[in-house]
Amino acid sequence: MPKVSQEYLDARRTEILAAARRCFVRDGFHETSMQDLLAEAGMSSGSVYRYFSSKQDMIVAIAEENLAEVVHEARRQAERRPPVGLGEAVADLFEVIKTKHAENGFAAIALLTWSESLRNPRLAERLTTALTKAAADLAGLVREHQHGSQLPPDVAADSLAQLITATVPGYILQLATLGPDAVDGLPGAARALWPAPGAEAAAEGSPRP
């Protein structure tokens, strides 16, 4: 019997999770049965159970994918050199989320995950870990921009980062429930609310029409 490559195994796992995402976005976690998942993936139960022992395992895996994408993007923004303005970083994060939602229902899965975490301790733990990492990365970005900007220097960077982190779920909620057109103006609002250091002075010094 030929040996199956890791690349093949990873591709099959990705295929199963993509099918599960489509089912969950369409019908929700609890209305989706394993038979629904098998039919959507076009695979036998044996093939799917090789990768996931239950529907709950799929839910956790998809939630972890969502969370990892947010954490990765928050870290990427914090590590950009030269540093970008805080508003620019938040705006870029919004745009990435919007693109992911168009690709795979990212925002809808996020809402389902938040609800499920209230009854699933395993999921709640992963959600807490991911949000803590994202807030820590944003706190580093806040510290870089607290001096010489409109961010108040007398407020702890961690508190400001938590406030900014709290805007992301609000953006996701509006994207999932109201649609992409409803959030079109939010990246620009973030850039205006938290301008890069020196941006205001440059704007004031520019010639007026």
Side-chain angles (χ1 to χ4, degrees):
M1 186 174 179
K3 185 179 179 180
V4 177
S5 69
Q6 186 61 48
E7 183 179 357
Y8 173 84
L9 294 174
D10 292 343
R12 293 288 275 180
R13 184 180 187 275
T14 298
E15 188 178 345
I16 292 169
L17 288 182
R21 273 183 179 271
R22 293 193 295 271
C23 286
F24 294 150
V25 169
R26 184 172 63 239
D27 300 320
F29 288 155
H30 298 288
E31 294 300 318
T32 299
S33 67
M34 279 301 293
Q35 289 304 314
D36 295 329
L37 294 169
L38 296 175
E40 185 73 25
M43 298 181 187
S44 67
S45 58
S47 296
V48 172
Y49 283 124
R50 179 177 186 177
Y51 300 89
F52 302 100
S53 62
S54 67
K55 185 177 73 171
Q56 282 297 316
D57 281 350
M58 291 188 201
I59 291 172
V60 171
I62 289 173
E64 286 179 336
E65 282 185 348
N66 260 34
L67 296 169
E69 287 172 350
V70 172
V71 171
H72 171 77
E73 184 60 23
R75 181 154 295 171
R76 188 183 75 83
Q77 294 297 335
E79 293 176 351
R80 285 172 69 175
R81 293 295 179 270
V84 297
L86 185 60
E88 184 67 28
V90 174
D92 284 353
L93 180 57
F94 286 169
E95 296 288 6
V96 167
I97 290 171
K98 186 177 180 181
T99 300
K100 291 290 183 184
H101 181 62
E103 292 173 355
N104 59 23
F106 180 97
I109 290 292
L111 263 61
L112 291 169
T113 298
W114 299 338
S115 176
E116 182 68 12
S117 69
L118 297 177
R119 52 180 289 169
N120 186 328
R122 182 181 171 194
L123 199 53
E125 180 181 358
R126 282 161 171 73
L127 182 62
T128 300
T129 299
L131 289 177
T132 300
K133 287 180 180 178
D137 288 334
L138 285 174
L141 192 59
V142 167
R143 291 187 187 96
E144 290 187 14
H145 293 282
Q146 252 180 324
H147 301 291
S149 74
Q150 293 182 337
L151 295 177
D154 54 344
V155 179
D158 288 344
S159 297
L160 287 171
Q162 286 181 328
L163 173 62
I164 294 165
T165 303
T167 68
V168 177
Y171 176 87
I172 291 173
L173 174 64
Q174 292 187 56
L175 176 60
T177 57
L178 302 179
D181 291 346
V183 297
D184 275 349
L186 297 189
R191 293 184 181 98
L193 185 61
W194 298 303
E200 187 175 287
E204 290 177 352
S206 61
R208 297 184 181 274

